[in-house]
Amino acid sequence: MRHRYSILFFPLHVFVDFLSLNVAFVGAYWLKFKTLDAVGDPPYASIWILFNLTWLAEILISKPYIFPRQLFKAGHLLKKLLVLTAIHMAIISMYWVAIKGYYYSREHLLITYGLFLTLGATFRIGGLLFLKEYRARGYNNRRYVIAGYGKLAENIRSFYDTHPEMGFSFQGYFDQPNSENEGLLKGHFNELPRYVKEASIDCIYCCMPYIESTQLKRIVDHAEEADYQVKLLVDFRGFFSQGISIEYYDFLPILNLSSEVLADFRINFFKRCFDILFASTVLLLGSPVFIGIALATKFTSKGPVIFTQKRYGRLGKAFTMYKFRSMYTGSELILSGSQHSQGKEDPRITPWGGIMRRTRLDELPQFFNVLLGEMSIVGPRPLAEYDVETLMEEVPIDFQKILTVKPGITSIGQVKFGYAVNLDEMRQRLSYDLLYPERRSFLFDMWIIAQTVKVMIQGRGK
């Protein structure tokens, strides 16, 4: 008989809770009145009966003793106990007010609930510790197999191997044999029905990336007949950082893998309002500074004041980005057409351009890009065509995450790292900028802006 002792847990739990409730009631009566002579007489007899009936009703309605082993933890058990006790107290209080039973001792009732919580918590924690040790020794185990071999299958097995107190005993992998799982399988998918019966398997974990829908359907259809559970594992780990929500279309559940943060209209709306207000203020109040920088750029080297370049923003949309020119005209012919700045020693950068780069003044015209809606004040730096092609080839997944938000005048990567000279530095700056889509908020934007101002004042921009 499979798990012949598990069936006793429910009635034992019910019995102990009722015993704790009645011991608490009688014990509180003795502590309050120093006698038990009238505990079974009116008026306390009626409220004593109501105590038990109320607890019985809560058990029948909420079924508090039915939960999977994964939730069999102290925090979960104690939380349920507190909730049920709070509901019980509320019902008894309403009864007390309804009958105007002011002759009942409030102190007695409080002591009763205090004792009951103490006894209930002690039983739960003691029972939990006993079961964990009991199961860790190999008793009262659930036998499981995994259908579909792969990384996810190894993870679920590793989880139970490191938590023997949960009482799950691994019996083998089942899959279509191939070179990757050679020597690791217990058998083929077709052998599962026979093995489930012979080995008294309690649960089959089906890993969606590695099992076909037809195989899954056979396992589910056979579950009721063979008396085992089917657990479906789907690898959503790559999507959790973006946020997952479930939408119901009538009775049909739809899993929304779009980022809730990025799809939140209010966040985007208020960020856009802030961008417009901030950019307008800078352009209006900073116009004398803009004019001064433009004159200095014009008279220190030949060429246009404004440098324009094609960049790529949110969702890969191309736009023209504006900067104060910091290099000599024709610089693309120097250093064999290098795509990136070579730092302080780059011969293409003018002396005045070097000052602008260190203080980030060359980026100021991008406030016009902000007003046009092509950029934001804070966000990952917009990428040139060469950078896009390189990152798409080297780190396609990370690059796609960057494209989920508008590029910005300043970013974490710009503050912490600066301009990238080569592929390795591009990756390092990208690792900083990848933090933004997940953590963006008004306070985070304010922190990045403050750090940018600090870099400008200190003139330590790279």
Side-chain angles (χ1 to χ4, degrees), residues 261-280 314 367 369-381 402 404-412 433 435-449:
V261 175
L262 300 181
D264 190 327
F265 171 78
R266 290 178 299 175
I267 292 179
N268 288 323
F269 175 76
F270 286 117
K271 184 172 176 63
R272 180 59 183 152
C273 289
F274 172 77
D275 286 345
I276 293 173
L277 180 62
F278 193 95
S280 300
R314 185 171 183 267
F367 282 103
N369 291 112
V370 173
L371 287 181
L372 293 172
E374 298 163 336
M375 293 178 63
S376 182
I377 301 297
V378 179
R381 287 294 294 162
I402 288 296
T404 60
V405 293
K406 273 186 185 180
I409 295 177
T410 186
S411 69
I412 312 174
D433 282 343
L435 299 173
Y436 186 74
E438 298 178 8
R439 300 183 182 181
R440 73 171 188 161
S441 66
F442 178 75
L443 292 178
F444 196 34
D445 282 6
M446 292 300 99
W447 180 83
I448 295 174
I449 291 173

Side-chain angles (χ1 to χ4, degrees), residues 192-203:
L192 253 178
R194 176 187 57 79
Y195 185 79
V196 165
K197 184 177 180 180
E198 292 177 355
S200 298
I201 298 300
D202 302 289
C203 181

